[in-house]
Amino acid sequence: MLTPQLLLLTHFNTDKVTSLPGWPPEKPLPSNMYSGFINISDAMGQEMLCHYLYIESEGDPQTDPTIMWTNGGPGASSMFGIFVELGPLWLNKDSLQTRDFNTTGVPTLFPNKYGWSKLGSLLMFDWPPPVGFSYCADPAGNGTSCGDWDDSRMAAASFAALSGWYARFDERRMNPLFLTGESYAGIYVPKLAQQILEHADMQLPLAGFAVGDGCLGTDTGICGGGSAWYNILFMYGHGQMSTLLYERIISSCGMSYLKTGSGSPSPECKSALALVDVEVGGYFAYGLYDECTYNAGIRFRRLRATSEAAKPISGTFPRLVGQMVNVGEALNDYVCGGGIAQRVWVNQSVVRTALHVPLTSNFFDGDNGEGMVYRSTEQNLMPFYKRVAATTKLRVIVYNGDADPSINSFMAENWTSHLGFKVTQPWRPWTLDS
């Protein structure tokens, strides 16, 4: 009988990443990495391949959990999460300023001391195809090359990809699996968890899931339009608008309209809401105090969610208006420019060869469904959260950055507090030393 190590060596040697361009060749990678495609054609009824990247734990991959990460969008590549946010190696503007970059044209990778692979093995998929290097029939296809998408079709594709990955890495069925993601992954992750629970015969080792700054469904007003109230509350609570305007909005619009969006606002209400943009000014929708600039759909923007003219696009997010500016580093001291460096990196032929993806691939990376057809069809995930709590032992975390304007903490606190669960800990300071 083959041991798990021999199984891995026997079956997956072609997917193993032996080196990464941009990382010094004389240095070993932080842990074993694998990159390849999961064929989900049979499940989806058309030729369809989903790109995965698997990074083994820097601790004990035989026992440490598997942490699946996905970015949202819809249409955003999870390669951004792995190589700009939470992977063991990351890219930023300094990646484009090194001697090696000037010599080779390949952005330099730097170690990330906060990488999640110190906690467990990281698993990433780019979905739905053709996001990232995933594709249908033609690796060079554009964003519509795999057809139209909705939340149900995406759930089927993600379950097929994850199931196919476990068929390839069968020995990882012994490790607990945690699904994690942000933004529109607030739909992706619970819908995938739902699929796993409904297909218990597949024996996928789901132990829990976590959603950050997450969507909830079209009927909830969170990524599905909704009222202006929680955006106003966020901006006022962060000192971005005056008390005079805040009180004027409440008195002229009324709490019923502000919280539900029902009815027709008065001219005085419309006039007051229009001043929010004037007083708040420009900001980055995913980090209020972030002074970096971003491209490829994740960029410094002015959010007009409080404007009467702001309507949801394709049932997902409020309109975001681009406004590029020259600014300095992020206020919490991470280096800017990760998105730009990542795009340069994935377009290098040596990188594609190292990751075992076609040289002709069109690396598709959008946001808010830009460049593809994606309809938001999940109406409300609150019943699913209730069912998970009542009938399973899964561990679930819903979290928000307290300075993230888009899908902000006030929205999440509102819906989670209305799930009907008993409060086991009162509101308290969150400190490192308790």
Side-chain angles (χ1 to χ4, degrees):
M1 179 178 294
L2 293 176
T3 65
Q5 292 86 350
L6 286 176
L7 276 171
L8 198 62
L9 181 63
T10 302
H11 294 287
F12 315 125
N13 197 44
T14 56
D15 282 358
K16 187 170 184 179
V17 176
T18 57
S19 64
L20 275 182
W23 183 249
E26 69 275 9
K27 288 186 177 182
L29 295 172
S31 62
N32 289 330
M33 298 185 185
Y34 300 84
S35 173
F37 292 91
I38 304 299
N39 192 323
I40 59 174
S41 304
D42 289 344
M44 302 307 295
Q46 69 179 95
E47 185 177 355
M48 189 175 294
L49 288 91
C50 193
H51 177 236
Y52 82 89
L53 181 65
Y54 175 55
I55 303 170
E56 284 191 341
S57 171
E58 296 175 51
D60 185 356
Q62 303 303 318
T63 58
D64 288 346
T66 301
I67 306 170
M68 192 216 76
W69 169 262
T70 177
N71 282 76
S77 168
S78 297
M79 294 281 279
F80 183 91
I82 297 300
F83 287 101
V84 178
E85 297 175 318
L86 52 86
L89 304 174
W90 59 5
L91 298 150
N92 53 50
K93 75 170 188 179
D94 291 343
S95 301
L96 307 178
Q97 298 175 357
T98 64
R99 179 181 299 177
D100 286 342
F101 172 73
N102 292 332
T103 301
T104 66
V106 179
T108 300
L109 291 160
F110 299 108
N112 177 10
K113 65 180 180 179
Y114 302 112
W116 287 15
S117 55
K118 297 183 185 301
L119 305 173
S121 296
L122 270 175
L123 173 61
M124 177 224 82
F125 294 95
D126 261 340
W127 51 30
V131 170
F133 288 122
S134 300
Y135 67 93
C136 293
D138 181 9
N142 62 20
T144 61
S145 59
C146 294
D148 296 357
W149 288 94
D150 60 29
D151 295 330
S152 295
R153 188 175 186 233
M154 167 58 190
S158 63
F159 179 71
L162 183 61
S163 300
W165 184 84
Y166 272 105
R168 188 172 298 185
F169 289 82
D170 186 67
E171 72 283 359
R172 291 295 174 251
R173 292 181 188 271
M174 302 300 295
N175 303 64
L177 168 67
F178 292 93
L179 310 177
T180 63
E182 65 182 0
S183 191
Y184 204 80
I187 304 297
Y188 290 172
V189 165
K191 294 289 284 184
L192 176 54
Q194 189 175 41
Q195 289 285 309
I196 295 173
L197 293 174
E198 291 176 356
H199 295 84
D201 57 307
M202 298 295 290
Q203 297 182 331
L204 302 189
L206 181 63
F209 62 90
V211 171
D213 291 351
C215 299
L216 187 63
T218 58
D219 288 353
T220 67
I222 303 177
C223 301
S227 70
W229 171 242
Y230 294 103
N231 292 310
I232 292 170
L233 192 61
F234 176 91
M235 290 302 172
Y236 178 64
H238 287 78
Q240 302 298 298
M241 55 186 286
S242 67
T243 298
L244 290 176
L245 178 58
Y246 177 74
E247 292 178 344
R248 178 182 169 186
I249 288 172
I250 292 176
S251 63
S252 62
C253 297
M255 293 305 295
S256 177
Y257 172 74
L258 289 173
K259 284 193 171 184
T260 67
S262 60
S264 299
S266 66
E268 292 81 7
C269 174
K270 291 181 179 179
S271 175
L273 289 175
L275 290 175
V276 173
D277 287 335
V278 177
E279 291 200 358
V280 171
Y283 61 92
F284 179 45
Y286 300 140
L288 181 63
Y289 306 119
D290 190 331
E291 294 184 351
C292 296
T293 58
Y294 295 77
N295 69 344
I298 305 176
R299 54 191 179 271
F300 196 90
R301 293 176 282 202
R302 190 171 182 180
L303 179 64
R304 296 184 177 273
T306 55
S307 169
E308 182 63 17
K311 302 297 181 183
I313 298 175
S314 303
T316 54
F317 291 89
R319 180 171 302 149
L320 299 169
V321 182
Q323 184 179 3
M324 298 297 294
V325 293
N326 289 320
V327 291
E329 299 297 313
L331 294 182
N332 56 352
D333 296 328
Y334 63 83
V335 183
C336 296
I340 297 172
Q342 182 230 357
R343 179 158 290 276
V344 175
W345 190 76
V346 298
N347 283 323
Q348 301 301 308
S349 59
V350 290
V351 170
R352 296 179 174 210
T353 298
L355 295 178
H356 316 126
V357 302
L359 297 180
T360 59
S361 291
N362 171 30
F363 185 83
F364 178 80
D365 185 16
D367 197 15
N368 302 324
E370 296 174 7
M372 65 189 305
V373 179
Y374 194 109
R375 293 185 304 112
S376 298
T377 52
E378 173 57 46
Q379 296 177 327
N380 189 347
L381 283 165
M382 289 177 67
F384 175 67
Y385 278 95
K386 291 180 180 180
R387 187 162 66 254
V388 166
T391 63
T392 78
K393 295 182 179 181
L394 297 182
R395 302 174 66 183
V396 179
I397 297 177
V398 175
Y399 65 95
N400 290 74
D402 63 358
D404 298 348
S406 184
I407 324 176
N408 63 59
S409 59
F410 293 96
M411 295 178 180
E413 185 187 350
N414 176 63
W415 75 260
T416 54
S417 66
H418 286 83
L419 288 172
F421 299 152
K422 180 181 178 181
V423 176
T424 59
Q425 292 188 40
W427 189 280
R428 60 179 175 82
W430 187 264
T431 58
L432 294 177
D433 61 358
S434 301

